Amino acid sequence: MFKNLLLAGTASLLVTTSGFAQTPISSQDRAATITEIAELIGDEFFDAARAEAIEAQLMDLLNSGQLDSYDDAESLAAHLTDVLLEQDRHFSVSYRGMAAVEQAQARAAERETRSAEPRPQADRDRFPRLRQQNFGFGEVEILSGNIGYIKMDMFAPIEGGMATADAALGFVANTNAVIFDLRENRGGAPSMVQYLISHFLPDGGDTLINTFVSRDYEYPNQLWSLSAHPMGHRPDVPVIVLTSGATGSAGEAFPYHLQALERATVIGESTYGAGNPGGTWLTDGGYEIFISTGSARNPITGTNWEGTGVTPDIDVAADTALDHALLTLLPDLIAAEDNPDQRRPLEWGLESLRAELEPISLTGDELQAYAGSYGIRTARLVEGQLVYQRDGGPEIILTPLGDDRFAIPGDDRFRLVFERDRRNRVSNLQMHVADGRVLDNPRSE
């Protein structure tokens, strides 16, 4: 068998095999596979007592004939995954085929050959695939209100990803708050989790972030905050982490530990619930299995998120999590801003978010009252919505805000305010600008 240790904490989420060709197996192959997988779990699973029980469970299923109906490799792997997931959310079995075994044998022979050769002058790139994925950093930007936004789809090892992490942290270094979007993050390396969390803790390195319990360690392996971070420390900046039901493993560790430290607000959905890191083994029959060889233990909670997931502080649908994060942050940012010209776009941004989450409905007759020409600006009723156009430019569907006020979606630098005359007829369109200017556009028809 061949062992391939994955990044500690990598989520091994279930992959279905529907739609792929099935590989017939004999009863002897099935028995050999189940026996080998059971023995691997017995030898490698982090909890020795549970490992023995899981091994016995698989052998009971084999000996009782309950697995006799699985006569192809793919369906057997899928069923074993279903059985094992009840014990640990990281368990996963897949059929890779004998070609994978041959490739593993070839790689092992190549490693033996290389170990006997002189070391080359220049080290080869150890992270070509991770480099193409930008070490997990998908998006980094500054949102309205000077809020930093970092979308991470994985946590790469800090050995390869430090420069990219520093670039991301440097880009949001002057922001009023930082949002980490982990809604599509399936896991990765604890070293990156440690690196990023340390940036948002005080210096000194005296915060115990996590402890890994494993049969490989005589004593628990502890993960402490960094005493000095290359990008400095921001212990007071507000931090929000966005999650979904697909957020897994190391993607769960990051919000879980920050939440336990009362250092971040978690917004979104409860996460997948895979809290035990490990690695993969390739059996002699071509099956690959992920086995948890360790278990995270948060020093504050005394446990982890295995099976339960990370419970968000604000439980909302994942696709609205970013909006709710901004709703959480903006009131405090508005209260802290003394400059009215700087405060106004924040207030308008908050107003737009509320209108998006709780839309204001106007009837066709109410909207028709605004339709008309206002110099170089026009407003028309199109399919029950008020459409704004400036001097032949693009048509924009306006968002009602109430009290004759409308927003331009995605642009909180402006507000459109319709004024009425003494007879309550709309007579003027005012363009309010965030810097305090008001541009009048009298109705021309």
Side-chain angles (χ1 to χ4, degrees):
M1 69 194 66
F2 295 88
K3 177 181 177 182
N4 175 31
L5 277 178
L6 292 183
L7 303 176
T10 299
S12 217
L13 305 187
L14 174 62
V15 178
T16 61
T17 57
S18 60
F20 291 91
Q22 295 178 324
T23 306
I25 56 173
S26 66
S27 58
Q28 292 84 359
D29 289 339
R30 181 173 58 245
T33 292
I34 295 168
T35 301
E36 186 174 8
I37 287 176
E39 291 176 350
L40 277 171
I41 294 172
D43 292 339
E44 304 295 344
F45 189 70
F46 73 92
D47 186 316
R50 288 178 59 200
E52 183 179 352
I54 297 171
E55 180 179 5
Q57 177 191 14
L58 291 182
M59 295 309 298
D60 285 345
L61 290 174
L62 171 63
N63 295 329
S64 65
Q66 295 183 55
L67 302 178
D68 289 353
S69 62
Y70 297 95
D71 54 8
D72 67 87
E74 290 77 16
S75 64
L76 177 63
H79 181 68
L80 289 175
T81 296
D82 289 340
V83 170
L84 292 170
L85 279 175
E86 296 180 4
Q87 303 293 336
D88 187 280
R89 296 285 279 172
H90 260 125
F91 269 129
S92 175
V93 181
S94 59
Y95 181 66
R96 298 282 305 281
M98 294 310 297
V101 176
E102 294 171 0
Q103 291 171 2
Q105 292 171 337
R107 287 195 297 269
E110 182 182 0
R111 283 195 296 269
E112 290 182 5
T113 302
R114 285 181 176 176
S115 65
E117 296 176 349
R119 186 179 180 88
Q121 292 295 320
D123 289 337
R124 64 186 178 87
D125 184 358
R126 294 178 53 207
F127 306 102
R129 181 180 62 83
L130 295 178
R131 196 176 303 282
Q132 291 176 353
Q133 296 173 314
N134 203 37
F135 296 98
F137 290 86
E139 299 176 33
V140 182
E141 59 179 304
I142 308 297
L143 304 180
S144 177
N146 193 33
I147 298 171
Y149 172 85
I150 300 176
K151 183 177 186 295
M152 295 188 67
D153 297 333
M154 65 172 294
F155 287 89
I158 195 61
E159 181 182 1
M162 181 183 290
T164 307
D166 287 349
L169 295 177
F171 190 80
V172 301
N174 299 308
T175 54
N176 296 324
V178 179
I179 297 173
F180 282 90
D181 189 346
L182 306 186
R183 288 176 290 180
E184 297 180 25
N185 192 301
R186 304 300 191 267
S191 58
M192 181 64 78
V193 173
Q194 174 193 32
Y195 192 77
L196 294 176
I197 287 180
S198 296
H199 178 60
F200 297 100
L201 297 177
D203 60 8
D206 55 359
T207 301
L208 179 58
I209 297 173
N210 188 27
T211 296
F212 289 107
V213 179
S214 172
R215 289 165 68 176
D216 293 336
Y217 310 135
E218 183 177 355
Y219 299 102
N221 186 27
Q222 296 178 330
L223 200 68
W224 291 82
S225 61
L226 301 180
S227 58
H229 199 286
M231 300 305 296
H233 295 264
R234 303 183 70 187
D236 300 317
V237 66
V239 178
I240 286 181
V241 184
L242 311 183
T243 61
S244 75
T247 305
S249 198
E252 300 173 274
F254 185 74
Y256 187 88
H257 298 317
L258 283 172
Q259 186 184 59
L261 290 164
E262 298 184 353
R263 190 57 196 87
T265 301
V266 180
I267 299 178
E269 299 170 346
S270 293
T271 58
Y272 179 74
N276 301 324
T280 59
W281 281 258
L282 184 64
T283 71
D284 294 335
Y287 291 78
E288 185 176 81
I289 177 171
F290 188 102
I291 302 174
S292 295
T293 57
S295 181
R297 292 288 185 275
N298 181 274
I300 298 172
T301 66
T303 184
N304 64 20
W305 54 96
E306 175 66 30
T308 62
V310 180
T311 301
D313 298 296
I314 301 176
D315 191 351
V316 295
D319 60 358
T320 66
L322 179 57
D323 287 340
H324 282 277
L326 297 174
L327 282 175
T328 300
L329 290 170
L330 284 172
D332 289 339
L333 297 180
I334 291 169
E337 181 56 65
D338 295 329
N339 186 328
D341 290 342
Q342 297 293 328
R343 186 171 59 247
R344 194 173 294 111
L346 297 178
E347 294 172 335
W348 288 356
L350 181 60
E351 182 182 46
S352 293
L353 279 172
R354 288 171 173 163
E356 181 179 342
L357 293 173
E358 298 180 7
I360 295 174
S361 179
L362 298 178
T363 67
D365 289 342
E366 289 173 320
L367 291 173
Q368 184 62 47
Y370 303 114
S373 297
Y374 304 85
I376 62 172
R377 310 176 195 277
T378 60
R380 296 186 296 113
L381 186 63
V382 179
E383 297 180 355
Q385 295 177 306
L386 192 65
V387 174
Y388 165 79
Q389 188 177 29
R390 180 188 183 280
D391 200 20
E395 295 183 337
I396 300 171
I397 298 175
L398 298 178
T399 300
L401 299 174
D403 297 327
D404 295 329
R405 301 174 69 252
F406 290 81
I408 298 174
D411 192 345
D412 289 313
R413 297 172 301 170
F414 306 99
R415 282 292 184 264
L416 299 180
V417 181
F418 291 90
E419 288 192 317
R420 297 175 181 268
D421 59 21
R422 293 180 179 179
R423 291 180 293 175
N424 201 37
R425 295 178 53 186
V426 176
S427 59
N428 185 37
L429 170 58
Q430 287 188 333
M431 173 70 75
H432 288 229
V433 187
D435 61 12
R437 289 177 295 153
V438 177
L439 308 178
D440 286 304
N441 299 268
R443 187 167 191 162
S444 54
E445 63 177 69

